[in-house]
Amino acid sequence: MSRKTAKAPTPPTKVPKRGRGAARVLTAPADKGARPIDTSGLEGIIGYVIRRAQIAVFQDYNELAQDLGVTATQFAVMRLAAANPGLSQTALAGALGADTPRMVLIIDELERRRLVLRLASTVDRRSRAIFLTPEGRKLLAVMSRRVALQNRRMVKRLRGDDKNILLRMLQNLATPL
């Protein structure tokens, strides 16, 4: 006696719009062969939309920086160290909204790669001052050009001509009342 196996339905490639604020359906379901996921209950939630946008930006960044092995956080640390020579690890962590122990690990890696130098502060000897090395400045210049290109690509994806409104609104969200 032979047994037939049921074939899973093929997910639709196009999803019909349902008027204003139409639901979006992810075309790449988590499980191969699973039906698309209706995300309409989340599309109006600011945190969800920002998180999805952040994922898209970070994926794009990772592609452009993959060959250099510089994470987005490492780039931010290098950028701040270049603009603020001698900045403390604690101040760096505060500027990036990171925990100080995590910042120490990030700086450890940058120091291991000889991109930053950590010296005892002349103001507070318990504190460590961060400086970009010549190698760090060279890599930062390369990364800054790539990040500028990425920023232009992300602005194009906004499909609008006023990125400044979006940036101002996001900055308002990031600033406590």
Side-chain angles (χ1 to χ4, degrees), residues 1-173:
M1 189 165 160
S2 81
R3 214 170 155 192
K4 284 190 176 180
T5 355
K7 195 174 180 184
T10 307
T13 54
K14 286 190 176 181
V15 176
K17 293 225 177 221
R18 295 183 234 168
R20 184 178 157 91
R24 290 187 182 218
V25 176
L26 301 178
T27 55
D31 299 326
K32 190 176 179 177
R35 67 179 175 72
I37 301 169
D38 180 350
T39 60
S40 61
L42 297 173
E43 292 296 322
I45 298 174
I46 291 171
Y48 174 79
V49 177
I50 288 173
R51 179 67 176 139
R52 295 297 302 179
Q54 179 191 29
I55 290 168
V57 170
F58 275 71
Q59 284 174 337
D60 189 71
Y61 174 89
N62 290 339
E63 287 175 23
L64 81 87
Q66 185 175 10
D67 63 321
L68 298 175
V70 178
T71 68
T73 304
Q74 290 171 338
F75 170 75
V77 166
M78 292 171 65
R79 190 83 172 241
L80 288 174
N84 306 279
L87 194 62
S88 74
Q89 293 175 163
T90 305
L92 269 168
L96 295 175
D99 295 330
T100 304
R102 175 160 157 62
M103 188 55 54
V104 171
L105 296 173
I106 292 165
I107 294 169
D108 283 348
E109 176 60 18
L110 291 171
E111 192 173 41
R112 185 192 66 72
R113 292 180 61 187
R114 296 188 169 105
L115 299 173
V116 299
L117 185 61
R118 191 172 9 197
L119 302 172
S121 170
T122 56
V123 179
D124 178 359
R125 289 182 24 202
R126 295 171 298 172
S127 182
R128 309 294 281 169
I130 308 302
F131 298 91
L132 220 50
T133 65
E135 295 88 1
R137 280 192 287 282
K138 287 177 192 171
L139 182 57
L140 179 61
V142 170
M143 286 301 305
S144 293
R145 286 190 295 275
R146 290 186 185 190
V147 168
L149 171 68
Q150 183 217 14
N151 201 48
R152 287 192 297 274
R153 282 197 318 247
M154 294 295 105
V155 167
K156 281 182 184 177
R157 288 174 66 175
L158 291 174
R159 294 180 188 93
D161 58 350
D162 199 348
K163 73 167 177 129
N164 294 326
I165 289 174
L166 174 64
L167 289 174
R168 192 168 47 251
M169 290 168 56
L170 291 173
Q171 289 164 351
N172 287 343
L173 279 177

